[in-house]
Amino acid sequence: MLKYFLGNSPNWFKYTMIGFLIFNVIAFYTLGPVITAWCFILEFIFTLALALRCYPLQSGGLLAIQALILGLTTPKHAYQEVAANLEVILLLVFMVAGIYFMKPLIMYIFSKVFTKIKSKMLLSVLFVTIAAILSAFLDALTVTAVLISVAVGFYGVYHKIHSSEKDYDKDGVLDRKELSGETLEEFRSFLRSLIMHGVVGTALGGVMTIVGEPQNLLIGERMGWEFIEFFQRMAPVTIPVFFFGIATTMILEKAKLFGYGAELPSQAREIIEKYTEEMDAKRTAKEKYGLRVQAVCGILLIIGLALHLAPVGFIGLGLIILQTAFMGIVDEHALGHAFEEALPFTALLVVFFVIVAMIHDQHLFSPIIDWALALPESQQAGMFYIANGVLSMISDNVFVATVYIGEVKSVFDAGEITREQFDKLAIAINTGTNLPSVATPNGQAAFLFLLTSALAPLINLSYMKMVKMALPYTIVLGGVGFACIQFFIA
């Protein structure tokens, strides 16, 4: 049983998981449900941290089942959490699959960008800026799915040439050794730094608008803010943070700190350039027609999301239908491949909501909220920002925002704070859950999606490496955000 339990995971990990499951039962009856619930959170974070050793759906899922059996939460409450976040689940199921059919167009655009822009600094700034702008109007997960598709595409090209007998370099001679070892590591490092800049960009843009992140919509609805008002309310914090984020990107690339600064190896650039030229020359009439269909669907996607014509998942489903109908992809098995990337993560997210329901049922965050509201008014916004930021690092930022805005709304409805103070706290909650949460993959769904994607093992992106690479951004975004709250909001 131990041989097959959790598959190829190392034995020490298997023993640790068994130890957790035994300890939790003892802790529940000796230490009580609240302390046991905190233990569950730490154990779940441990399973996420070792995502490359064992996919967290299995290890984290066992913990979630045990939490339900011990009565720390109920299936009904877990279902309510899932129902409240159905839009995020529909987004993952349909939007990511919709993007799958746009891969040829995305690869075409980014291959041109890659080959035309030689400066890594400019490329990095471009990635952050484009990701931020797209995330402000689309959704961070959708943008992350695009970035992952691009990186997997380029790694696939490199790997195919590396393992084939074809010659792609300019002299017509390819040395296998040149593509292995240091060159391969440099290429991985290049992709790793670029993708991390991109996902940080999704956080920078996502915090700005009411449609950028799921919790923004929730907060905006509670406050009665529309798209423009939401942007204006957040601007004193989000605009300075955006420019400091861009400056951080430039400094990291220039100084080559925290795993950034790797250049695209000349061999890899030659491969991608040669491959792009070859693909352009070989492109059939059907493929050219496919690119045009994808471009039209891309424009419709941006219009649909920017105007919020329907829930994001529905727009994704529409994208699948339009692209496959007009490109003639009508075989059921051909459609199935589009859903392979997102469904394991969707299942993991449902497991995550079980843990979130447990946090809710055990009132783990309530003492922190009560303490923050007992402070003088001038200190409350800053403390809410810090409390939201810290909790979003270890929990889900959508959940943290839901809990906090709900508690503050109750206090406002009871007449204990003014509308002006309510507005200030809402801004602190939104920015606090969006900015410092880049510290770990736990807080931002886009980061967790990247960590558990097919790309992460290809470019050696582990949990701790992601935390290390996000650290400078966490310090700058979190620090500048707090300063803006203190000087411009509080």
Side-chain angles (χ1 to χ4, degrees):
M1 191 184 292
L2 183 68
K3 181 183 175 184
Y4 296 114
F5 177 67
L6 298 181
N8 294 323
S9 307
N11 280 342
W12 65 263
F13 181 79
K14 297 181 182 184
Y15 289 127
T16 304
M17 286 307 304
I18 293 166
F20 284 162
L21 295 170
I22 295 168
F23 170 79
N24 291 338
V25 176
I26 298 167
F28 181 74
Y29 290 107
T30 57
L31 303 174
V34 174
I35 293 174
T36 307
W38 277 110
C39 292
F40 267 99
I41 292 172
L42 294 173
E43 289 161 6
F44 193 72
I45 290 169
F46 172 81
T47 65
L48 294 174
L50 291 160
L52 298 185
R53 298 279 186 176
C54 173
Y55 193 69
L57 176 62
Q58 286 73 36
S59 48
L62 288 171
L63 294 172
I65 291 169
Q66 190 179 44
L68 288 167
I69 292 169
L70 291 175
L72 294 173
T73 187
T74 64
K76 184 183 178 182
H77 288 170
Y79 176 76
Q80 286 169 352
E81 288 294 338
V82 172
N85 290 280
L86 183 61
E87 198 167 331
V88 179
I89 289 167
L90 289 176
L91 161 87
L92 280 167
V93 174
F94 296 125
M95 185 59 81
V96 176
I99 294 296
Y100 173 88
F101 292 108
M102 293 183 77
K103 275 185 184 177
L105 176 67
I106 293 162
M107 280 296 294
Y108 176 78
I109 294 167
F110 274 90
S111 60
K112 296 297 180 190
V113 171
F114 258 60
T115 50
K116 299 291 184 237
I117 297 174
K118 309 291 185 189
S119 164
K120 172 71 185 305
M121 173 84 75
L122 183 58
L123 200 58
S124 300
V125 171
L126 202 64
F127 258 64
V128 175
T129 308
I130 291 172
I133 293 167
L134 289 175
S135 296
F137 290 99
L138 311 186
D139 180 273
L141 281 171
T142 307
V143 177
T144 306
V146 170
L147 293 173
I148 289 168
S149 296
V150 170
V152 168
F154 281 124
Y155 187 87
V157 170
Y158 186 90
H159 181 71
K160 189 159 71 175
I161 308 311
H162 177 221
S163 56
S164 77
E165 296 303 318
K166 297 185 80 173
D167 295 333
Y168 273 84
D169 74 335
K170 288 174 180 174
D171 301 322
V173 179
L174 185 67
D175 184 354
R176 283 292 163 300
K177 291 177 183 175
E178 277 188 28
L179 298 185
S180 303
E182 284 182 21
T183 306
L184 180 59
E185 275 311 306
E186 184 81 359
F187 183 55
R188 281 173 171 162
S189 184
F190 170 82
L191 286 178
R192 203 162 51 228
S193 60
L194 217 50
I195 205 86
M196 281 301 293
H197 287 314
V199 289
V200 168
T202 66
L204 288 171
V207 67
M208 289 186 180
T209 64
I210 199 165
V211 294
E213 295 276 356
Q215 70 266 32
N216 300 18
L217 188 61
L218 189 135
I219 291 167
E221 284 174 350
R222 292 286 181 99
M223 303 305 294
W225 294 339
E226 295 300 324
F227 189 95
I228 300 297
E229 187 180 0
F230 187 96
F231 176 78
Q232 289 171 337
R233 295 268 186 186
M234 298 300 156
V237 181
T238 57
I239 300 298
V241 165
F242 173 75
F243 285 108
F244 272 92
I246 295 291
T248 306
T249 302
M250 296 171 77
I251 291 165
L252 289 171
E253 283 299 322
K254 186 74 176 171
K256 300 187 187 299
L257 297 169
F258 294 93
Y260 294 99
E263 297 287 340
L264 178 62
S266 57
Q267 296 96 323
R269 184 182 293 281
E270 284 172 20
I271 285 172
I272 291 169
E273 284 177 356
K274 186 81 176 176
Y275 179 81
T276 306
E277 287 169 16
E278 197 172 285
M279 287 300 101
D280 287 346
K282 282 184 176 178
R283 194 166 286 116
T284 64
K286 183 182 178 181
E287 286 169 338
K288 288 175 183 175
Y289 165 74
L291 287 177
R292 286 196 288 272
V293 171
Q294 291 157 33
V296 171
C297 288
I299 293 165
L300 293 175
L301 168 68
I302 292 167
I303 293 168
L305 288 167
L307 299 178
H308 215 62
L309 297 179
V312 180
F314 282 18
I315 294 172
L317 181 57
L319 194 66
I320 294 170
I321 294 166
L322 287 172
Q323 288 183 106
T324 53
F326 284 96
M327 290 195 296
I329 304 168
V330 291
D331 180 54
E332 186 182 350
H333 295 292
L335 291 172
H337 294 299
F339 294 90
E340 287 174 2
E341 174 73 22
L343 282 182
F345 180 73
T346 309
L348 175 61
L349 203 63
V350 173
V351 167
F352 199 77
F353 287 135
V354 176
I355 303 297
V356 165
M358 178 195 74
I359 294 170
H360 203 134
D361 286 357
Q362 298 305 319
H363 307 289
L364 299 186
F365 295 169
S366 297
I368 303 164
I369 293 167
D370 295 338
W371 170 76
L373 285 172
L375 292 169
E377 275 197 10
S378 60
Q379 296 176 23
Q380 284 181 12
M383 285 316 300
F384 264 77
Y385 177 88
I386 292 170
N388 275 272
V390 172
L391 291 171
S392 292
M393 290 178 194
I394 61 168
S395 178
D396 170 50
N397 60 0
V398 177
F399 167 70
V400 174
T402 307
V403 172
Y404 269 81
I405 199 70
E407 294 281 344
V408 175
K409 181 80 160 63
S410 303
V411 174
F412 172 70
D413 291 341
E416 293 175 31
I417 57 172
T418 62
R419 174 68 201 199
E420 185 187 4
Q421 185 65 8
F422 186 29
D423 288 346
K424 289 176 180 178
L425 293 180
I427 294 167
I429 290 167
N430 185 68
T431 52
T433 51
N434 272 298
L435 298 173
S437 58
V438 300
T440 68
N442 310 37
Q444 291 266 1
F447 280 53
L448 190 61
F449 185 42
L450 171 61
L451 178 69
T452 57
S453 71
L455 176 66
L458 298 180
I459 58 173
N460 292 341
L461 186 62
S462 64
Y463 185 98
M464 289 313 298
K465 196 166 280 184
M466 193 181 264
V467 170
K468 176 193 166 188
M469 293 181 79
L471 181 61
Y473 281 114
T474 307
I475 295 166
V476 174
L477 271 54
V480 174
F482 178 72
C484 292
I485 290 284
Q486 289 293 85
F487 289 113
F488 305 135
I489 306 298

